Structures are given as C-alpha cells and as structure tokens.
Amino acid sequence: MQYLYPLLTVMIWAGNNVITKAAAGRIFPAEIGFYRWVLAALLFTPFLLAPVLRNRAQIKPILGKVVVLGVLGMAIYQSLAYYAANITTATNMGIILSLVPVMTLGMSIASLGTRLTAGALVGAFVSFAGVLWVVSQGSWSALIAHGVNVGDLMMLVATLAYATYSTLLKKWQLRMPPLQLLYLQILVAIIALFPLYVISPKTGLNASNIPLVLYACIPTSMLAPLLWMKAISILGPSRTTLFFNLVPILTALVAALALGEQLASYHFIGGALTLGGVILAERWTTPLRKAAIS
C-alpha cells in the first residue's frame, strides 16, 4: 500500500497532461490556468487561511522566496504547458516533462554542492538525445532544417521552470507546514496570472470545459501534492522520485486511448532514451573523478 501514494500521484499527473491537451480549443490557456488556481484557493481557504494568518510572523521573512516559487512552479510551468498543448501532442509533453529529474540533478550539482557522478553526466546526454529524437520526429535533418516545434520548445521552457522550482525548494528548505506553503504559492499564482487572464480572449465556462477545469484543480492542484508529500514521508525522496519516470509512459497510454494519438517509432526510441538517461543519472552514482581514474 505504501507504493500506492506515488503511483496515484503519477497517474494524476499523466492524466493532467492529457487534460491539458484536451483543453486546447475548448478553453483558452489563460482561462484554465487562472480558473484552476482560483478554485483551488477557494476550496483551501476555509481550512488554511486562519493557520496562515496565525503564522504570518514566520512567513514574512520568506515571502519573497514564496513568490519566486509560486511564479515558477504554479504560474509559468503550467501556463506554458497549456499554451504548448495547442501546438504539440500530449505524448510529446509527457516525454519532455520526464527531463525534470535530470535537470533538477544538474542544477543541484551546480548550486547545492551535489557531487557530479558518471551517471549524471552520461544520463543527461542520453536523456536530451531522447528528447531531441522525439521533437525531431526521428529525423535529425528535419530538426536542422525546420527547428524545434514551438509547442515542444514551450514545454522545454516549462520543464526548465519546474526543475528550477524543485531545486530552489530543496535549497531554501522553507520551514513551514507544506500545505500552508502550497496555499501561499497558489495565491501567488492567482496574482501573477490575473493580468494575462484579463487581456486574454475568453471562452467562458461551459459544459465541455468545466470537467477539465475541475480535474486540473482538484486532483492535480490539491490531491496530487498531498499524495506526493505523503509518499516522500513514507518512502523517502529518492525512492519516490523514481515513480516520476512512469509519467511519460502513462501519458502516452492515456493519450492513445482517450485522444487517439498515434504512437510512432520515434516516440518509443526517444522515450526509451529519455527514461534510460534518467535511470542512469539516478542509479549510477559513481563519482566522476573515481570513474575517470578507473
């Protein structure tokens, strides 16, 4: 049962990639990005507003860091994903998103003093090669001639934003209850996204897009963070992070079933390379200097 927490989390995340793609054409990206956080805030407020107000003396010194985390992890990351979904596929989004662990590890080596390992170096090259194979649709010449699809490029930037968010979260070690920290980041996201929502064209809520907003809000924005935090408390961060590798696989399966997306050979090859690189980075922990000597 202890593995159920991270497994349910990655299933929710994979479903959210498909929901993000399904939202394209039914609701504008700025709308769903804003509505999901507003609804999450409304549902969290009765339980968390009073504790946050009582804790304001502790929050005040770290408020700037909370703002940075909210903008990176809640506003930029998911908003870019909604825009990317209008141009690329859910399968591509899932594969690109699987770079998060490798990017986070690289940033940890650069900024947190984490030692560079042979697996981290080799795994980074293998993972990026896999993503490039996917975004080029298995043709290096096409990639050179036409460049990267704008949607895939947006997803790469979104992935980089989330990796930066994860690294800063680990570096700063903000000492406050996780749910209160999540609630404050949601409030930051609402403020950050409000101008974009105001100037964006609007579809409005209707029968076809309300279920998408509800999924983005309740399972993805509220339930998944709770399950992930519970998984980390039981299994530890290293073992829990391994489950993140299931996201692109589950995304591809759900996208094929729900959206009818066709899986091509470059998806399998690129996805295998990306996942292989992540596993190398996580499991091959020989320090680089020692590996070079050997």
Side-chain angles (χ1 to χ4, degrees):
M1 292 297 294
Q2 61 185 352
Y3 295 107
L4 189 61
Y5 295 106
L7 185 59
L8 284 174
T9 307
V10 297
M11 289 174 67
I12 291 172
W13 285 340
N16 186 58
N17 289 331
V18 176
I19 290 295
T20 300
K21 178 61 181 178
R26 300 186 187 183
I27 185 170
F28 284 100
E31 283 185 290
I32 187 171
F34 182 71
Y35 290 149
R36 67 177 287 189
W37 296 125
V38 169
L39 180 55
L42 289 174
L43 294 174
F44 269 139
T45 293
F47 308 99
L48 293 174
L49 180 59
V52 165
L53 292 176
R54 287 195 298 267
N55 204 22
R56 60 185 179 274
Q58 182 184 356
I59 294 170
K60 188 176 179 180
I62 61 172
L63 189 57
K65 293 178 178 179
V66 173
V67 170
V68 171
L69 291 174
V71 170
L72 283 172
M74 308 295 172
I76 294 177
Y77 161 64
Q78 190 60 67
S79 292
L80 280 174
Y82 286 127
Y83 281 98
N86 286 274
I87 310 170
T88 190
T89 65
T91 302
N92 279 27
M93 292 170 66
I95 292 173
I96 294 171
L97 187 60
S98 66
L99 285 175
V100 166
V102 172
M103 287 183 171
T104 304
L105 180 58
M107 292 179 183
S108 298
I109 291 169
S111 63
L112 302 180
T114 304
R115 64 181 181 179
L116 178 61
T117 64
L121 186 61
V122 175
F125 280 111
V126 173
S127 289
F128 278 107
V131 168
L132 286 177
W133 192 251
V134 170
V135 301
S136 69
Q137 298 185 359
S139 172
W140 297 117
S141 58
L143 180 64
I144 294 171
H146 304 293
V148 179
N149 177 291
V150 175
D152 292 332
L153 186 60
M154 285 182 176
M155 201 62 207
L156 280 168
V157 175
T159 301
L160 180 61
Y162 196 76
T164 305
Y165 166 84
S166 301
T167 304
L168 291 177
L169 197 61
K170 182 178 180 181
K171 180 178 181 178
W172 288 337
Q173 294 289 317
L174 303 182
R175 298 186 179 278
M176 61 180 301
L179 269 181
Q180 292 185 31
L181 180 59
L182 174 63
Y183 178 62
L184 287 174
Q185 291 177 74
I186 289 172
L187 296 181
V188 169
I190 292 171
I191 296 170
L193 293 173
F194 181 69
L196 182 62
Y197 169 76
V198 170
I199 65 175
S200 169
K202 296 172 184 63
T203 303
L205 294 173
N206 54 54
S208 68
N209 60 37
I210 286 177
L212 305 178
V213 175
L214 290 175
Y215 186 95
C217 170
I218 297 173
T220 307
S221 304
M222 300 176 69
L223 184 59
L226 295 175
L227 291 171
W228 195 247
M229 287 187 286
K230 182 68 173 178
I232 290 174
S233 68
I234 296 175
L235 300 174
S238 298
R239 292 170 69 191
T240 302
T241 304
L242 291 175
F243 282 84
F244 197 92
N245 301 331
L246 294 174
V247 172
I249 299 171
L250 293 173
T251 299
L253 291 175
V254 177
L257 293 173
L259 303 178
E261 288 189 3
Q262 298 296 315
L263 293 177
S265 60
Y266 62 82
H267 285 125
F268 291 104
I269 296 171
L273 286 171
T274 305
L275 287 177
V278 172
I279 293 171
L280 279 174
E282 292 174 343
R283 309 303 294 178
W284 186 11
T285 57
T286 305
L288 189 63
R289 183 182 297 273
K290 182 178 178 181
I293 293 172
S294 300

